[in-house]
Amino acid sequence: MTRRRYVRFEHLGRVRFGRVAPTVDDVTPVEVLSADPIRTDATPTGELLEMEEIRFLAPLLPGRVVTVHSAYADVPAESPRFTLGPPPASVDPQTTVPPPARYAAELAVVIGRDSHVFGYTCANALTTDSLALGPWIVTGIDPASLGIGSMVNGVRRQQSTTGLMPTPVPSLLTHITATTPLSPGDIVLTGTPAGSGDLTPGDWVTVFIEHMGTLGNKVSPTRSR
């Protein structure tokens, strides 16, 4: 399957969907799509935009969130523990969030139609009800052994590989969907490596996953009133 990167972005005051096209002459355009490709049969509109013309948003507005309660390198469990939560507040890439906040690098599985996997994106659960996602959703990638980690102010805090997940993604999804039907736009947070923790005002946090890019956010220097 061809690897693709799907984006949600703002252009001239409109929120639109697209996918990153191949680079030509050092220019990487975004191919505009007619609608949300996760939930509909989106088609190319024929319009191409340069990345400098757009502002990247969280690549989806999630439906429900399935949180898997396990840490990397845990002993494999026959029945992984998970909880189902309501849609979180989505945090866009490269934006500032108010304290208090935490960092926890996670691979997020994005569910498409018929409970099939649409793709994967970087995630960072900054608070109990807000979730940073992005910069895009990657399709056509094997999640079995990807480098994953986080950095705070340029200092590495987490470093691991998805190969150390206690339960691989396909088995996780089989276990979850046996009791919990999933809908397009739902996401599964698959756990985080050791080293997650609290952020302080002014911190810059970056989550990275191999072949999937980086997701950065800043914590505001002061609390919002």
Side-chain angles (χ1 to χ4, degrees), residues 78-119:
E78 292 185 6
S79 299
R81 295 185 304 110
F82 68 91
T83 53
L84 181 66
S90 291
V91 177
D92 298 326
Q94 308 297 313
T95 55
T96 299
V97 299
R102 291 178 50 81
Y103 65 92
E106 298 197 54
L107 173 72
V109 183
V110 180
I111 304 300
R113 284 167 286 176
D114 300 321
S115 293
H116 293 156
V117 173
F118 179 81

Side-chain angles (χ1 to χ4, degrees), residues 96-100 200-202 219-225:
T96 299
V97 299
T200 59
V219 182
S220 173
T222 58
R223 293 177 181 268
S224 58
R225 295 184 179 180

Side-chain angles (χ1 to χ4, degrees), residues 6-8 56-59 93 121-122 133-137 212-215:
Y6 288 85
V7 295
R8 178 173 160 269
F56 286 102
L57 304 174
T121 190
C122 301
L133 296 168
W136 35 58
I137 299 168
M212 295 176 59
T214 59
L215 169 65

Side-chain angles (χ1 to χ4, degrees), residues 58-69:
L60 78 158
L61 294 177
R64 299 168 302 169
V65 176
V66 179
T67 301
V68 177
H69 299 284

Side-chain angles (χ1 to χ4, degrees), residues 129-221:
D129 56 4
S130 66
L131 182 66
L133 296 168
W136 35 58
I137 299 168
V138 181
T139 64
I141 194 169
D142 183 354
S145 184
L146 302 173
I148 180 173
S150 65
M151 300 181 74
V152 177
N153 302 326
V155 178
R156 185 159 296 179
R157 297 293 182 86
Q158 294 177 280
Q159 179 68 61
S160 190
T161 169
T162 56
L164 293 178
M165 284 184 185
T167 308
V169 168
S171 299
L172 269 181
L173 295 178
T174 297
H175 177 73
I176 292 166
T177 56
T179 58
T180 308
L182 297 176
S183 302
D186 290 346
I187 61 173
V188 178
L189 298 178
T190 56
T192 189
S196 62
D198 294 328
L199 295 167
T200 59
D203 281 346
W204 179 268
V205 58
T206 303
V207 167
F208 56 88
I209 301 179
E210 186 178 3
H211 303 310
M212 295 176 59
T214 59
L215 169 65
N217 293 98
K218 184 177 181 179
V219 182
S220 173

